[in-house]
Amino acid sequence: MDVTIEKTAVVNRANLEIFSETLQQLAQNDRDIIVVTSDSRGSGKLVPFGQKFPEQIVEVGIAEQNLVGVSAGLASTGKKVFAVSPACFLTARALEQIKNDVAYSNNPVNLVGISAGVSYGALGSTHHSLHDFAVLRTINNLIIVAPADNFETEQAIRLAAETDLPVYLRFGKKSMPLLSTEEKTFEFGKGRIVREGSDLTIIGTGETVAPALLAAEKLQKEFNIFANVISMHTIKPLDYRLLADTAATGKPIITVEEHSIYGGLGEACASYLIQNNHHNRFKIIGIPDEYTVTGSQQEIFTHYGISEEGIAGIALELCK
C-alpha cells in the first residue's frame, strides 16, 4: 500500500461525530438503543440524538457512579445501552461500578469514554485519562477498543450494539484522517494492517495511528526505510496472532499510545512477546511516569515524541 492517509476531498471529522450519527441511525429502527449521559450531551455530540429520540436518552447529571449503575440496570432488562462520560471520570470515579455492576454481573453496557487521553489539553492531569487501559485491562469480561478513524468508529459502534459483552470505547476530540487501506473489515480483537513494510513495525491505537503513518511516510521518503503500520484498535482482547506474525520477522517493533507507558498497549505487547520467546528490538512510546506538561493535545504529543518526527527518530535508532 503506498498512500496510507486519505488526501482526497474527504472531510476529516471527529470520531465522536461519527459515533453520534451512527447511534442515531441505529436508534431509528431500534427502540432498545438507550444513551445515558453524565452531563455530556454537548461534549459527546449527543444533542441531535436527544432532540430526535428524547425517550431514548437518560441524563443523570454529574454522577458517574450513578451513570454506570443505571446503565447496568437498563442493560439487564435487554436494552442496548451506551453510557457516555469523560474517560478520566468514567474510568476512575466509577471504576467499582464498572467492575461489579457491569463486568462481574455480565451486563453488556457500552462504556463510552470521551475526551480521552490528553484531549483536554491545558486542563491538565486531573482531566487526562492516561490510566484507563491499565485499570480496565485487569477487569475480566470487558472488551477495550480505541478506534483510529471514522471507519473504525462506525464499525465499532455497530458491533458494540450487537455484542453480548461489556465494551469500553475510547474517543478523543480531534478530527481524524481516514486511513486508506484495502482492509475494509473490522472485528474486535483483530488489528488492521494500514500500511505494509518490511523493515520494522509501528503499532498504534486510537489517535496515535495517524502520526505513526506520517512517520512511516517520512521514513520511506527520507531514509528508504519501509515501516509496517498496524492499527491495534482493540487493546483487549489483543490480536496475538498478528503480533506473533509481526514478531516472527525479527524486525524492530514500536508501540505508540496516548496513555501512560505503564499498563497499556505497549506493556500488553511486550508481555506477550517476552513470554513467547520473541526478542525483537522494542520500544514503547507514550506518556512517562510524570504529570504531563501543560499545553494542547498536539503540544503534549510533540513533547513526548508521539509525533511524526518523534516516532521516526525512534525508528531510526532501532533500525541501526
Side-chain angles (χ1 to χ4, degrees):
M1 305 174 193
D2 297 325
V3 180
T4 51
I5 293 184
E6 292 283 8
K7 297 181 179 179
T8 65
V10 175
V11 177
N12 297 337
R13 304 178 63 196
N15 287 338
L16 272 178
E17 294 179 14
I18 305 303
F19 156 68
S20 177
E21 290 180 4
T22 304
L23 272 187
Q24 291 173 56
Q25 293 169 11
L26 294 173
Q28 285 179 345
N29 301 310
D30 190 347
R31 288 183 58 83
D32 284 337
I33 297 288
I34 303 291
V35 171
V36 186
T37 80
S38 58
D39 195 32
S40 303
R41 292 193 196 199
S43 53
K45 308 297 182 185
L46 291 166
V47 171
F49 185 98
Q51 292 171 340
K52 293 179 181 178
F53 309 103
E55 296 182 355
Q56 291 173 251
I57 188 167
V58 178
E59 176 61 69
V60 300
I62 304 176
E64 290 80 6
Q65 293 171 336
N66 289 346
L67 169 86
V68 177
V70 168
S71 297
L74 288 168
S76 72
T77 69
K79 301 300 182 183
K80 301 173 183 179
V81 185
F82 289 80
V84 183
S85 183
C88 58
F89 306 129
L90 176 63
T91 61
R93 190 172 296 158
L95 183 60
E96 182 179 3
Q97 285 70 31
I98 293 173
K99 172 189 170 185
N100 294 332
D101 298 349
V102 174
Y104 180 72
S105 301
N106 197 31
N107 287 313
V109 177
N110 297 299
L111 302 153
V112 183
I114 63 174
S115 304
V118 294
S119 295
Y120 276 120
L123 286 179
S125 294
T126 57
H127 283 60
H128 295 162
S129 56
L130 303 176
H131 63 281
D132 50 348
F133 292 159
V135 297
L136 296 180
R137 281 180 59 223
T138 66
I139 297 177
N140 180 46
N141 197 34
L142 184 63
I143 298 170
I144 303 172
V145 184
D149 68 352
N150 295 173
F151 167 77
E152 290 187 359
T153 297
E154 179 181 356
Q155 296 301 308
I157 296 305
R158 293 185 181 279
L159 195 55
E162 297 303 323
T163 187
D164 57 359
L165 291 174
V167 181
Y168 174 64
L169 296 147
R170 189 196 215 230
F171 296 111
K173 288 183 175 183
K174 66 187 296 185
S175 297
M176 298 307 299
L178 185 66
L179 308 181
S180 175
T181 170
E182 296 173 4
E183 180 57 67
K184 296 299 183 183
T185 60
F186 181 93
E187 298 177 35
F188 291 155
K190 186 176 181 180
R192 298 172 69 223
I193 298 175
V194 295
R195 193 180 203 277
E196 294 179 346
S198 57
D199 294 320
L200 79 155
T201 294
I202 306 171
I203 304 175
T205 189
E207 294 190 356
T208 67
V209 177
L213 283 165
L214 293 174
E217 186 174 336
K218 178 182 180 70
L219 288 167
Q220 180 177 339
K221 286 183 177 179
E222 299 182 16
F223 303 100
N224 201 37
I225 292 174
F226 294 82
N228 192 51
V229 180
I230 293 173
S231 172
M232 195 68 82
H233 49 71
T234 307
I235 304 298
K236 185 181 179 182
L238 202 63
D239 190 343
Y240 292 128
R241 176 173 292 182
L242 178 58
L243 192 55
D245 290 344
T246 299
T249 66
K251 300 298 184 179
I253 297 172
I254 298 172
T255 62
V256 193
E257 59 195 304
E258 189 179 359
H259 186 275
S260 168
I261 58 173
Y262 297 128
L265 170 67
E267 286 203 340
C269 291
S271 175
Y272 172 80
L273 292 172
I274 198 69
Q275 291 186 82
N276 288 274
N277 299 312
H278 296 289
H279 303 287
N280 308 64
R281 300 192 73 185
F282 187 89
K283 179 68 176 179
I284 298 172
I285 301 177
I287 306 298
D289 190 20
E290 65 183 49
Y291 295 116
T292 60
V293 296
T294 300
S296 67
Q297 181 193 41
Q298 188 56 53
E299 289 169 336
I300 295 171
F301 270 24
T302 300
H303 179 82
Y304 292 111
I306 308 173
S307 62
E308 175 183 352
E309 294 77 12
I311 299 168
I314 294 296
L316 288 173
E317 291 180 15
L318 292 183
C319 286
K320 286 180 180 178

